[in-house]
């Protein structure tokens, strides 16, 4: 059957038009579309492809669900190598994701640090974290308070899953994906 609002083909038994969101009602055996979809919970759909006539951000009621679906363009997400989670300190439970690409990240209280912590005992650039050849390492940048991995002072150390990193008053746990 065809939607009377937009002309799109509606599968038999559907309650809403998949293109325009018009509800489908049966009047003495005659199925027709009228009005708009029923209000429901909002759903953000990132994996589906909306019909071309909707564009990337149009809203419509998905058939048979009674929920509003918003389509938005998929963002390419970088693969994650692991993450550091602050388990103690001023930034408790803040998490920093480390992408699976060779790079160098700085940890400290400076505005230019990718892993910025508001810990007064940290230097502006306290340590660097580097992913190279599939290994993550942390290097202390000649700080007065030092960098500790599993309670051992380090100048440079490779990080393994479950390692604890302590800088200033902050303790972070490294987890590898």
């Amino acid at each position: 059957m065809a939607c009377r609002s937009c002309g799109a083909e509606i599968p038999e038994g559907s309650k809403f038009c998949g293109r325009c969101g018009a509800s489908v009602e049966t009047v003495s055996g005659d199925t027709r579309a009228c009005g708009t979809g029923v209000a429901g919970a909002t759903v953000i759909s990132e994996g589906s492809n909306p019909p071309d006539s909707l564009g990337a951000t149009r809203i419509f009621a998905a058939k048979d669900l009674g929920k509003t679906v918003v389509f938005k363009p998929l963002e390419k997400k970088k693969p994650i190598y692991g993450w550091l989670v602050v388990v103690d300190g001023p930034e408790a439970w803040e998490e920093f994701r480390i992408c699976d690409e060779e790079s160098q990240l700085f940890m400290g209280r400076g505005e230019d640090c990718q892993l910025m912590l508001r810990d007064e005992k940290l230097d502006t650039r306290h340590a660097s974290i580097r992913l190279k050849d599939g290994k993550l390492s942390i290097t202390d940048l000649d700080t007065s308070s030092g960098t500790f991995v599993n309670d051992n002072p380090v100048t440079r150390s490779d990080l393994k899953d479950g390692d604890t990193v302590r800088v200033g008053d902050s303790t972070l746990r490294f987890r590898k994906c």
Side-chain angles (χ1 to χ4, degrees):
M1 92 187 104
C3 174
R4 292 196 181 179
S5 296
C6 69
E9 187 65 29
I10 302 173
E12 201 63 35
S14 297
K15 295 179 182 178
F16 301 98
C17 173
R19 180 180 286 168
C20 71
S23 64
V24 177
E25 69 177 35
T26 307
V27 179
S28 59
D30 179 32
T31 304
R32 60 186 179 91
C34 66
T36 58
V38 191
T42 300
V43 175
I44 305 296
S45 177
E46 296 181 358
S48 305
N49 293 323
D52 291 336
S53 63
L54 290 178
T57 56
R58 289 288 189 104
I59 299 174
F60 74 99
K63 71 173 186 132
D64 299 327
L65 295 178
K67 297 178 181 178
T68 303
V69 179
V70 178
F71 288 101
K72 67 180 188 177
L74 289 174
E75 295 177 16
K76 254 201 159 154
K77 296 182 180 176
K78 295 178 183 176
I80 295 175
Y81 177 81
W83 61 95
L84 284 163
V85 179
V86 182
V87 293
D88 190 25
E91 304 287 331
W93 304 114
E94 181 75 28
E95 92 175 14
F96 301 99
R97 294 171 187 232
I98 300 165
C99 295
D100 194 11
E101 57 187 31
E102 293 195 0
S103 63
Q104 182 174 15
L105 307 171
F106 290 100
M107 176 188 294
R109 57 184 170 86
E111 295 288 326
D112 62 335
C113 291
Q114 295 86 353
L115 289 84
M116 191 175 100
L117 300 169
R118 289 185 294 266
D119 186 337
E120 292 301 318
K121 289 190 178 176
L122 291 182
D123 288 5
T124 307
R125 279 194 174 181
H126 192 91
S128 76
I129 296 179
R130 183 173 208 155
L131 180 63
K132 186 170 183 180
D133 299 328
K135 291 183 182 178
L136 190 69
S137 62
I138 187 166
T139 305
D140 182 72
L141 299 176
D142 296 326
T143 61
S144 56
S145 60
T147 299
F148 299 82
V149 175
N150 299 324
D151 291 324
N152 298 314
V154 296
T155 346
R156 185 185 172 284
S157 176
D158 288 339
L159 292 177
K160 295 174 281 318
D161 186 42
D163 279 351
T164 301
V165 175
R166 187 168 46 87
V167 289
D169 285 335
S170 300
T171 304
L172 300 95
R173 174 84 38 138
F174 171 66
R175 301 306 299 192
K176 183 177 178 189
C177 291

